[in-house]
Amino acid sequence: MVIRRAVYRWLFPAAFVLPVWLLVGWGISGAGGWAFVWVLLLGIPSVFVGQTVLTLLVRARGTVRAERAVSWPDVAGFAVLHALTISLGFFGTWWWGAAFGLTIVVALVLFWTELWQLWREARPAGLVAFRATSSGTLGGQGATSRTDRGDVVVIQERSDSR
C-alpha cells in the first residue's frame, strides 16, 4: 500500500519534473541543436500533456480517490513509462530511437489501460429485476397482484354551474 500511495502522490509532480528532466538531460548529454529543438517543441509539451491526461484518468476512478492509492497495474505502467522517459533524457545515439518508439507504445497502452479501468469501475453493477406480475415487492410474501382490488373507494367531484 505504501508503494501505491507513493505513486499516487508522484503523478502530478511527474507532469512537471519529467519534462524538465528532458531539458536537463539534453544539457548534460551534450546533444546537438536538433535534439534541443525536439526537446522544446515535442518532448516537453507531449510529456507534460500526456502525464497530465494519464493522471486525471487515474484520479477519476472512485477507488483511487477513496484509497488515495493507485492500482498495481498503474504502478507497473507508470514505472515503465517514467523509466523510459528518463532514458530519453540521456540522448544515446544507437538506442534512442528504439527507446522513443517504446515510450510511445507504453504511453498508449497505459492510456487504454486507464480508460478500461475507469470504464470497469463506472459501469452499473447489475441489472434491475422486473416481474411480469408487477407486484409491489420482489419477495414472495406480502406481494399482492393488481387483480386483487380489495376495497376501492371512488370519489367524484360535482360541479355546480350556478
Side-chain angles (χ1 to χ4, degrees), residues 10 13 48 113 115 135 146 160:
W10 162 247
F48 176 75
T113 302
L115 281 179
S135 63
R146 290 195 180 252
D160 293 335

Side-chain angles (χ1 to χ4, degrees), residues 30-44:
W34 287 112
F36 182 69
V37 170
W38 177 84
V39 166
L40 285 182
L41 298 181
L42 292 174
I44 289 175

Side-chain angles (χ1 to χ4, degrees), residues 124-130:
L127 297 174
V128 177
F130 292 102

Side-chain angles (χ1 to χ4, degrees), residues 14-108:
F16 297 96
V17 172
L18 291 174
V20 170
W21 162 248
L22 291 177
L23 188 61
V24 170
W26 171 82
I28 291 172
S29 66
W34 287 112
F36 182 69
V37 170
W38 177 84
V39 166
L40 285 182
L41 298 181
L42 292 174
I44 289 175
S46 63
V47 170
F48 176 75
V49 170
Q51 181 64 37
T52 303
V53 167
L54 289 172
T55 300
L56 292 174
L57 282 174
V58 167
R59 289 186 177 226
R61 297 195 324 253
T63 56
V64 172
R65 287 192 313 271
E67 296 176 358
R68 294 202 173 277
V70 298
S71 66
W72 284 111
D74 294 336
V75 171
F78 280 109
V80 171
L81 180 64
H82 292 170
L84 286 169
T85 304
I86 290 168
S87 74
L88 289 178
F90 290 113
F91 293 95
T93 56
W94 59 275
W95 53 267
W96 194 87
F100 179 67
L102 190 58
T103 303
I104 292 172
V105 169
V106 168
L108 290 174

